[in-house]
Amino acid sequence: MTISIFEDNDKLRDLIEMLIGSSDEFEVKGSYTNTYDILNKVIKDQPDVIIMDIDMPEHDGIEGVQIVKKKFPDVKIIMHTVFDDDDRLFTCLSYGADGYILKKDASSSLFNAIKEVLSGGAPMSAGIATRVLQTFRKVEKPKNEYNITEREKQILELLTRGFSYRMIGIECSISIETVRRHLKNIYHKLHVQCGTEAVAKAIGERLLML
Amino acid sequence: MTISIFEDNDKLRDLIEMLIGSSDEFEVKGSYTNTYDILNKVIKDQPDVIIMDIDMPEHDGIEGVQIVKKKFPDVKIIMHTVFDDDDRLFTCLSYGADGYILKKDASSSLFNAIKEVLSGGAPMSAGIATRVLQTFRKVEKPKNEYNITEREKQILELLTRGFSYRMIGIECSISIETVRRHLKNIYHKLHVQCGTEAVAKAIGERLLML
DNA sequence: TTGTAAATAACCCTTTTGTGTGATATTTAT
DNA sequence: ATAAATATCACACAAAAGGGTTATTTACAA
């Protein structure tokens, strides 16, 4: 199994290289200080796994993940970084990173992570995994802080689907005047001036499911 | 640290109980064959961690997760099940499950999982973690398949914020007629009939960030 | 150079929206 | 039982939206 390393800190890079090279299972094919021309580096090395730092000068690891995964989706990429903010994390994941290990973890984590991706897993530091699962938590209740009634919600939903006042009236079997009255109340409750703004707010605040 | 177990298979339940009980760190406070009246069971046991099977007669583990997490979000729940289908997995995660371990994994996994949730992590079997990360990949698509131009996007965004045609014109320093023309083009490109529908579609398909 | 796409603008005309004001059932909660 | 929401309908009116058509300018690529 072959590994490529992208890490701009010389000491750390040497350390990782040594750590991995000392194993008889893995071989370090290349190590680099940034992701400049990364495609050719990957083509040359043909690594099974890439250890990717994020913060590197000129061409960083996020760029690297994006480029490599687009061309070689089968190459496993483990992010190895100090950053644990949501922004960078989810950007990397969306580009297809296979693992996300924080540098503050023991270096044995990195070694285990390599074995884990190779067996089809997705190694993550504890806090990272928690953050990822957090995103699946249902947005509790549509808290309806605006006191929109059921009828109003129904009408708002039809509006969202592009129904005109008249069509809404027909759909709900009520007069267009009633539709107007409902929408009037809705706009007032949502503190908006018009239908488009109401729709944007309703979707944005998850008052209705789309 | 105290544990409660929900598992209808008698043999397996005994095994888990023994496995955990043999440790001097953990104490099994209760073990049950289904999640009937689970709230009172949890109130009585006051467990730090719950091991939760999914497939149990009458009241299953999915129901259990939902009920317990709603009242006691701080109790850690590890799903321990044979099922690895997306449906059950993401349902449990949406209810707030903290870990998801497959029964086919070594039983030491379960033991490690308990330690991991207690230290704030989110233990998952390898395949599960991969499945979870997979969902972030397809989210990546701000790919403007409708060929909306920059100018059009800007105008669409103003519309979303409740600007009238006239206000958009003033904001962009163009005549209302031009605004009209742009919106006309936008509606055509998005295959919608009116502004509200366009806004709903634009937000829904992430054509613009809100 | 010519052609295509984007942005700009105007005119006409109909329908739709949004608001103000008022009123009457119907349901729900106290 | 009674008060408070909620849902219903109506009328008038100004403003806005949306559709059709045509045209000019700019920029960039074939």
Side-chain angles (χ1 to χ4, degrees), chain B residues 10-28:
Chain B
D10 296 337
K11 283 209 175 64
L12 182 55
R13 194 178 58 254
D14 288 347
L15 186 68
I16 296 172
E17 221 173 308
M18 207 151 63
L19 175 76
I20 296 169
S22 70
S23 154
D24 50 1
E25 311 170 63
F26 308 128
E27 181 191 355
V28 177

Side-chain angles (χ1 to χ4, degrees), chain A residues 119-132:
Chain A
S119 63
M124 286 175 272
S125 293
I128 299 296
T130 306
R131 201 90 52 72
V132 168

Side-chain angles (χ1 to χ4, degrees), chain A residues 45-64:
Chain A
D45 292 353
Q46 292 281 316
D48 296 297
V49 180
I50 291 173
I51 309 293
M52 182 80 79
D53 184 25
I54 285 186
D55 191 35
M56 291 180 286
E58 302 297 325
H59 297 271
D60 68 18
I62 295 180
E63 197 183 318

